[in-house]
């Protein structure tokens, strides 16, 4: 089988590995991203970032993601 051959189609009823475990992924990714943010902020690398503007944008993006995911 060559690298360009996609292989057989997935069986009906089976979901992709990441689709089944996406909730667990975000549960782990959130503390990592939050920790990275706080580390960079403590190092003074995010002084240009206005948190009062960022957190509503993050909430809006999460909401848009949930709506788009639901519509698919």
């Amino acid at each position: 089988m060559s690298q360009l051959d996609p292989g057989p189609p997935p069986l009906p009823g089976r979901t992709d590995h990441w689709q089944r475990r996406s909730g667990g992924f975000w549960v782990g990714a959130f503390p990592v991203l939050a920790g990275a943010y706080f580390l960079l902020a403590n190092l003074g690398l995010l002084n240009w970032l206005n948190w009062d503007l960022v957190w509503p944008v993050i909430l809006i993006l999460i909401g848009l993601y949930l709506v788009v995911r639901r519509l698919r």
Side-chain angles (χ1 to χ4, degrees):
M1 185 182 316
S2 72
Q3 290 181 348
L4 298 177
D5 186 11
L11 297 173
R14 289 189 65 183
T15 59
D16 185 48
H17 174 75
W18 288 107
Q19 288 177 346
R20 287 182 290 156
R21 299 179 189 261
S22 64
F25 171 79
W26 287 111
V27 168
F30 177 74
V32 170
L33 293 173
Y37 168 78
F38 288 120
L39 174 65
L40 293 174
N42 284 335
L43 292 173
L45 299 174
L46 296 179
N47 290 338
W48 56 272
L49 190 63
N50 184 1
W51 183 247
D52 293 337
L53 176 65
V54 172
W55 75 266
V57 172
I58 292 173
L59 288 178
I60 291 169
L61 291 175
I62 290 171
L64 285 173
Y65 168 74
L66 293 173
V67 168
V68 169
R69 188 180 72 171
R70 182 62 110 166
L71 292 176
R72 284 199 284 158

